[in-house]
Amino acid sequence: ARAIPHVERALALAEQDAVRFERWHRLSTCYLRVGRLADLERVVREALDASPPPAVRARLLSDESARRGALGDKEGARAAAEEALTLAGEAHDDEAVGLAANTLARALLALGEYDPADAQAARAVEAYHRAGHGMGEVRAIGTRAAVAHARQQFKETERLYAQAIETAREHGYRLVLEELLLGYGGLLADLGRWDDLRTTSAEAAR
């Protein structure tokens, strides 16, 4: 949240289109993380109206998908993520593919479509790996864990969370680690492992 005024200022000062588009996306992601969904909608609309290149458009639409999902518009979230994934693929941008595929996986998970959700999460892991984007790769493994949890595949859920959490700790991916620990906490609650849950919750709160 503290970064938002600085990103807003940087956007206002941007003179070249390439810089402006990158900062629009950075700002939309900041708004998404702090739940400022109305501001996110406004920024994405402004950026899309400026005709960004396909890879940037894909990133913006991924944020738009997440916004719709947060508002309970599950089909809208799916549609935006599918469009983002198509654009990212056409742009041959692995990082954008990873973001869009993971976003689509989350939208499909919310719809209860577990097989395609897992397939898209696996696609995201692979795309992020090709892009050398470790944080995204770990986040996508967490999405696979969430799908396994929804299927009540508890051993697979624990395996995936353990893999992702260990990597996030090793590389210092603090924001993603918190997300993963919260997801893992849900599994521990379902399994009645209260001591482990207290330890996990304490780490997530640090």
Side-chain angles (χ1 to χ4, degrees):
R2 292 191 297 270
I4 288 176
H6 302 289
V7 180
E8 290 173 333
R9 178 64 175 165
L11 173 60
L13 293 173
E15 297 180 356
Q16 297 179 344
D17 284 346
V19 175
R20 188 178 301 111
F21 288 136
E22 185 274 332
R23 290 176 183 171
W24 257 320
H25 174 244
R26 186 181 300 179
L27 183 57
S28 75
T29 301
C30 287
Y31 285 149
L32 176 62
R33 287 176 178 165
V34 300
R36 289 174 56 175
L37 301 182
D39 287 325
L40 168 58
E41 181 181 21
R42 171 183 55 78
V43 165
V44 169
R45 186 187 310 113
E46 288 174 0
L48 293 178
D49 286 347
S51 300
V56 177
R57 193 175 189 88
R59 288 171 167 81
L60 291 163
L61 285 169
S62 292
D63 283 352
E64 171 62 12
S65 171
R67 183 192 72 83
R68 293 178 186 181
L71 293 173
D73 181 6
K74 297 179 182 180
E75 289 294 346
R78 183 220 295 259
E82 287 176 339
E83 184 179 354
L85 187 55
T86 297
L87 288 166
E90 291 173 351
H92 304 290
D93 186 313
D94 284 327
E95 184 178 329
V97 168
L99 175 60
N102 192 59
T103 304
L104 179 55
R106 288 287 179 174
L108 292 167
L109 175 58
L111 288 164
E113 298 183 20
Y114 300 142
D115 286 346
D118 187 58
Q120 290 300 334
R123 181 178 182 181
V125 171
E126 294 169 359
Y128 274 131
H129 184 75
R130 290 193 303 270
H133 195 295
M135 188 180 299
E137 184 177 352
V138 169
R139 179 174 273 128
I141 293 170
T143 299
R144 292 202 68 203
V147 175
H149 190 186
R151 287 170 155 169
Q152 297 189 318
Q153 297 174 342
F154 297 135
K155 288 185 178 180
E156 178 67 359
T157 304
E158 184 150 25
R159 183 189 72 79
L160 289 165
Y161 273 130
Q163 176 188 352
I165 288 169
E166 180 181 358
T167 305
R169 285 175 179 150
E170 180 183 348
H171 293 281
Y173 299 148
R174 185 70 194 108
L175 179 62
V176 178
L177 177 59
E178 182 180 344
E179 296 170 3
L180 293 168
L181 290 169
L182 291 173
Y184 184 45
L187 172 67
L188 295 173
D190 284 349
L191 297 176
R193 289 165 51 183
W194 308 116
D195 289 343
D196 290 339
L197 176 58
R198 279 189 287 272
T199 301
T200 299
S201 298
E203 182 179 0
R206 286 176 194 161

